[in-house]
Amino acid sequence: QVQLVESGGGVVQPGGSLRLSCAASGFTFSSYGMHWVRQAPGKGLEWVAFIRYDGSNKYYADSVKGRFTISRDNSKNTLYLQMNSLRAEDTAVYYCAKDRDSGSYLVNWGQGTLVTVSS
Amino acid sequence: AIRMTQSPSSLSASTGDRVTITCRASQGISSYLAWYQQKPGKAPKLLIYAASTLQSGVPSRFSGSGSGTDFTLTISCLQSEDFATYYCQQYYSYRFTFGPGTKVDIK
């Protein structure tokens, strides 16, 4: 069965950087687009970024464009989110999710990893 | 970006009730709409895609309808396990967006 396991969360100071990882298994990772979605404490879901199956196209929410970079290593079945210039408002649980195929709805989700931006 | 709104933001209902949640897009999105259920401390779960297609394994008491800008999620006979927050999401644009959520709690 599909399994997505996020890691890399933690506490970081404002202006700092963090890289999240999402290890995928149970499906052909290289055939599917992947998303990052976040949820601030007590708030709703916010889509963050999407990458096509081959990494050829990437899309970002305006709130993170220019600061976050989504990438993938299909040889390692792993999705990444490099987060730079972090702000307090980036504090959230970050979920990785598998797309239906290449830019669609989110079929499977990981359990999430918490990122806290605080001094 | 396409803005999604939901109403109501919360509702109280009893087991056995029929519940309807509305989602509206700021521009036409055809049927490129999905619904998710999220319980506290858990990841969201896909319920419906293409506005009205039930995801495999989802109970038939859940249904979706609509196209263009106006959509609804209906739970025909609310069960105890359905108390949760529900989100709509558009995938018409690659700048994907979620609605703000509707919390369904126990009356």
Side-chain angles (χ1 to χ4, degrees), chain A residues 99-106, chain B residues 2-4 23-36 46 48-53 65-71 87-99:
Chain A
D99 193 88
R100 187 272 307 266
D101 46 37
S102 195
S104 182
Y105 48 90
L106 288 68
Chain B
I2 298 172
R3 183 168 177 261
M4 307 300 292
C23 174
R24 177 164 290 174
S26 61
Q27 67 181 72
I29 59 170
S30 185
S31 296
Y32 295 104
L33 185 102
W35 288 97
Y36 302 86
L46 175 67
I48 286 170
Y49 60 92
S52 61
T53 303
S65 65
S67 67
T69 59
D70 295 319
F71 302 86
Y87 296 92
C88 59
Q89 175 236 334
Q90 66 80 19
Y91 51 99
Y92 179 84
S93 161
Y94 277 108
R95 295 172 72 186
F96 306 88
T97 44
F98 288 91

Side-chain angles (χ1 to χ4, degrees), chain B residues 12-92:
Chain B
S12 295
S14 301
T15 303
D17 285 353
R18 180 182 181 89
V19 167
T20 298
I21 298 168
T22 298
C23 174
R24 177 164 290 174
S26 61
Q27 67 181 72
I29 59 170
S30 185
S31 296
Y32 295 104
L33 185 102
W35 288 97
Y36 302 86
Q37 176 193 65
Q38 187 181 33
K39 296 181 180 179
K42 300 294 187 181
K45 172 188 172 184
L46 175 67
L47 296 177
I48 286 170
Y49 60 92
S52 61
T53 303
L54 210 61
Q55 171 69 352
S56 175
V58 174
S60 59
R61 62 181 179 272
F62 290 92
S63 63
S65 65
S67 67
T69 59
D70 295 319
F71 302 86
T72 59
L73 171 70
T74 300
I75 310 172
S76 61
C77 183
L78 199 66
Q79 302 298 301
S80 57
E81 60 267 32
D82 301 335
F83 292 100
T85 300
Y86 294 86
Y87 296 92
C88 59
Q89 175 236 334
Q90 66 80 19
Y91 51 99
Y92 179 84

Side-chain angles (χ1 to χ4, degrees), chain A residues 10-77:
Chain A
V11 180
V12 61
Q13 292 189 339
S17 298
L18 209 58
R19 188 177 84 155
L20 305 183
S21 299
C22 172
S25 60
F27 64 103
T28 305
F29 180 72
S30 59
S31 296
Y32 292 89
M34 296 292 295
H35 299 260
W36 286 102
V37 175
R38 69 184 180 184
Q39 186 168 37
K43 303 298 184 181
L45 302 173
E46 180 187 14
W47 173 78
V48 172
F50 170 75
I51 185 168
R52 290 175 62 92
Y53 68 99
D54 58 358
S56 59
N57 293 93
K58 306 172 185 181
Y59 303 87
Y60 299 93
D62 288 344
S63 58
V64 306
K65 193 176 296 183
R67 300 188 299 123
F68 289 12
T69 301
I70 189 172
S71 63
R72 63 191 299 160
D73 185 336
N74 286 344
S75 68
K76 295 183 178 179
N77 289 347

